[in-house]
């Protein structure tokens, strides 16, 4: 399996040999991020509040964070962005991403070079905290308004798609907070519902029939 793939919308993603999957949809890495995490999550919440605490479950290539930086500037939001990543990609893999836009490359560089375990100002609209841990070992006194649930699929990380795990996520979310994810499997939606979420199915992007927004009751 090739390590790098140019997705159908012209952006790059990487293959994880450990989990046997690409970090983003090969049908459109940017399209997936823009729909699932930005439109259904961040911008939907930004209709009511302008300072938003985001939890990103799976920093990966940094694409979700990169797009959030751009959207925060565009809409004049203040984002406190906490991201969990137990298996950071290497500097060599970051270089492979090879975004053509200079602004994208510079932001991505800043995100990956930011220190772990402390809040770093990327710009006045975006404050990043990267934590080298699993979701199971994560705890937070901060409550999150939006959760980008971007773990690898249930076939690779089944422990992250259970009722118990979603209950833990709910415990660190504001009431009325949004959890968004690309995965709409029936078993996943039922686990979310049992954990107390109101689950909404939304039209997916290319090649994906449905994606999910779950609201913390």
């Amino acid at each position: 399996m090739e390590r790098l793939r140019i997705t159908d919308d012209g952006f790059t993603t990487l293959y994880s040999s450990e989990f046997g999957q690409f970090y983003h949809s090969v049908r459109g890495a940017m399209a997936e991020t823009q729909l699932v995490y930005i439109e259904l999550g961040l911008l939907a919440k930004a209709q009511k509040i302008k300072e938003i605490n985001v939890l990103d479950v799976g920093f990966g290539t940094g694409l979700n964070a990169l797009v959030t930086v751009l959207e925060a500037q565009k809409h004049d939001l203040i984002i406190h962005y906490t991201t969990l990543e137990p298996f950071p990609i290497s500097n060599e893999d970051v270089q492979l991403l090879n975004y053509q836009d200079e602004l994208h490359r510079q932001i991505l560089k800043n995100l990956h070079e930011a220190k772990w375990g402390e809040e770093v100002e990327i710009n006045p609209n975006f404050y990043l905290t990267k934590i080298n841990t699993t979701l199971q070992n994560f705890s937070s006194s901060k409550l999150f308004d939006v959760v980008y649930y971007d773990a690898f699929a249930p076939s690779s990380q089944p422990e992250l798609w259970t009722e118990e795990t979603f209950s833990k996520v709910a415990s660190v979310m504001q009431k009325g907070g949004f959890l968004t994810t690309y995965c709409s499997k029936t078993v996943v939606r039922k686990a979310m519902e049992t954990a107390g979420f109101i689950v909404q199915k939304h039209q997916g992007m290319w090649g994906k029939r449905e994606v999910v927004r779950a609201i913390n009751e």
Side-chain angles (χ1 to χ4, degrees), residues 1-5 7 11-30 32-33 36-37 56-64 83-90 93-94 96-97 99 112 116 149-153 156-157 161 181-182 205:
M1 175 65 68
E2 73 259 52
R3 181 70 173 132
L4 181 72
R5 172 77 68 87
T7 65
F11 289 85
T12 53
T13 190
L14 295 173
Y15 182 79
S16 170
S17 55
E18 180 169 3
F19 293 102
Q21 295 185 3
F22 285 98
Y23 280 91
H24 295 281
S25 170
V26 296
R27 297 297 304 274
M30 183 64 76
E32 179 180 62
T33 290
V36 178
Y37 305 111
D56 178 20
V57 180
F59 183 65
T61 67
L63 178 59
N64 294 339
T83 184
L84 313 180
E85 183 51 71
F87 309 107
I89 67 174
S90 66
D93 282 344
V94 175
L96 284 177
L97 294 172
Y99 287 92
H112 280 280
W116 292 83
Y149 209 81
D150 200 17
F152 285 109
S156 294
Q157 291 187 298
W161 302 91
T181 184
Y182 63 89
M205 56 283 165

Side-chain angles (χ1 to χ4, degrees), residues 32 35-37 40-41 57 147-154 160-161 166 178-185 188-189 192 199-202 204-205 208 210-214:
E32 179 180 62
L35 171 62
V36 178
Y37 305 111
L40 293 180
V57 180
V147 175
Y148 297 170
Y149 209 81
D150 200 17
F152 285 109
L160 294 184
W161 302 91
F166 287 124
F178 295 158
L179 179 156
T180 59
T181 184
Y182 63 89
C183 184
S184 63
K185 289 181 178 293
V188 169
R189 289 188 279 107
M192 290 177 176
V199 178
Q200 303 172 338
K201 294 188 291 185
H202 291 265
M205 56 283 165
K208 185 75 175 177
E210 296 170 340
V211 295
V212 164
R213 176 166 64 202

Side-chain angles (χ1 to χ4, degrees), residues 54-92:
V54 174
L55 175 62
D56 178 20
V57 180
F59 183 65
T61 67
L63 178 59
N64 294 339
L66 163 63
V67 181
T68 304
V69 172
L70 299 173
E71 294 291 338
Q73 292 177 300
K74 179 179 178 181
H75 298 280
D76 196 23
L77 306 174
I78 303 297
I79 305 297
H80 298 276
Y81 194 99
T82 301
T83 184
L84 313 180
E85 183 51 71
F87 309 107
I89 67 174
S90 66
N91 290 331
E92 291 77 13

Side-chain angles (χ1 to χ4, degrees), residues 54-188:
V54 174
L55 175 62
D56 178 20
V57 180
F59 183 65
T61 67
L63 178 59
N64 294 339
L66 163 63
V67 181
T68 304
V69 172
L70 299 173
E71 294 291 338
Q73 292 177 300
K74 179 179 178 181
H75 298 280
D76 196 23
L77 306 174
I78 303 297
I79 305 297
H80 298 276
Y81 194 99
T82 301
T83 184
L84 313 180
E85 183 51 71
F87 309 107
I89 67 174
S90 66
N91 290 331
E92 291 77 13
D93 282 344
V94 175
Q95 296 300 317
L96 284 177
L97 294 172
N98 193 29
Y99 287 92
Q100 296 181 356
D101 185 282
E102 177 60 34
L103 176 61
H104 289 180
R105 287 201 304 271
Q106 186 58 54
I107 293 173
L108 201 64
K109 181 174 183 290
N110 294 342
L111 293 170
H112 280 280
E113 291 182 352
K115 290 183 179 179
W116 292 83
E118 62 182 66
E119 187 172 73
V120 176
E121 179 180 331
I122 300 300
N123 63 40
N125 295 95
F126 189 94
Y127 299 83
L128 173 69
T129 303
K130 296 192 299 185
I131 304 177
N132 183 206
T133 189
T134 63
L135 177 58
Q136 293 91 329
N137 291 327
F138 174 66
S139 61
S140 176
S141 58
K142 177 191 296 186
L143 295 180
F144 297 94
D145 305 295
V146 176
V147 175
Y148 297 170
Y149 209 81
D150 200 17
F152 285 109
S155 58
S156 294
Q157 291 187 298
E159 71 280 6
L160 294 184
W161 302 91
T162 65
E163 175 194 340
E164 179 182 6
T165 302
F166 287 124
S167 293
K168 176 171 184 174
V169 175
S171 74
V172 297
M173 292 177 66
Q174 296 281 6
K175 294 300 181 183
F178 295 158
L179 179 156
T180 59
T181 184
Y182 63 89
C183 184
S184 63
K185 289 181 178 293
T186 300
V187 65
V188 169

